[in-house]
Amino acid sequence: RVQLVESGGGSVQAGESLRLSCAYGSYRSTDPSGAWFRLVPGKEREGVAAVDRDGSTRYADSVKGRFTISTDNAANTLFLQMNSLEPEDSAVYTCAALYTGPYDSTKNTLQPWYKLWGRGTQVTVSS
């Protein structure tokens, strides 16, 4: 079973930046779709950033202009650059790969419709 592995989490002050990485390991595909989700205890998992098959990206309103998702297909890695971090961004961040959801009018790459998942990395932002 393919397991994605996240890294780059940690504790920072508000206004600082972090870059999360998601290594795909043995997973190889021509489909570059992937996403980052975050989970806070007591809240629903939130999709924060996604990259589609064609390279287009989508962001949750709460992170637009601050977070950037990118891929390095040669290195088989998904990234999430997080700038201007806020305490509300504190969460366990999990990466996902290979979108399996619909490609019709109900398409939503920020929904957890992905085949492969990592276990998560903690991000803590202090005020």
Side-chain angles (χ1 to χ4, degrees):
R1 179 181 176 183
V2 176
Q3 180 72 59
L4 309 183
V5 180
E6 302 93 341
S7 61
S11 297
V12 296
Q13 296 290 317
E16 295 183 341
S17 299
L18 281 174
R19 189 189 196 205
L20 304 184
S21 298
C22 173
Y24 287 3
S26 61
Y27 171 63
R28 294 289 187 273
S29 174
T30 57
D31 183 341
S33 60
W36 288 93
F37 294 82
R38 65 187 181 187
L39 182 63
V40 176
K43 295 186 177 181
E44 290 190 5
R45 179 169 48 189
E46 177 187 19
V48 296
V51 56
D52 206 342
R53 294 175 182 173
D54 62 359
S56 60
T57 56
R58 180 173 182 172
Y59 297 92
D61 289 342
S62 58
V63 306
K64 280 182 182 176
R66 301 188 298 121
F67 289 14
T68 303
I69 188 170
S70 61
T71 60
D72 183 337
N73 292 330
N76 233 30
T77 306
L78 182 70
F79 300 101
L80 184 66
Q81 178 67 42
M82 305 187 295
N83 298 329
S84 302
L85 283 162
E86 304 168 352
E88 292 74 21
D89 296 318
S90 297
V92 174
Y93 285 73
T94 303
C95 64
L98 190 58
Y99 177 74
T100 59
Y103 269 90
D104 56 18
S105 60
T106 63
K107 172 186 171 184
N108 188 341
T109 53
L110 292 180
Q111 287 292 322
W113 300 328
Y114 289 84
K115 183 175 182 179
L116 304 174
W117 290 84
R119 293 184 176 180
T121 184
Q122 177 71 47
V123 171
T124 303
V125 185
S126 302
S127 59

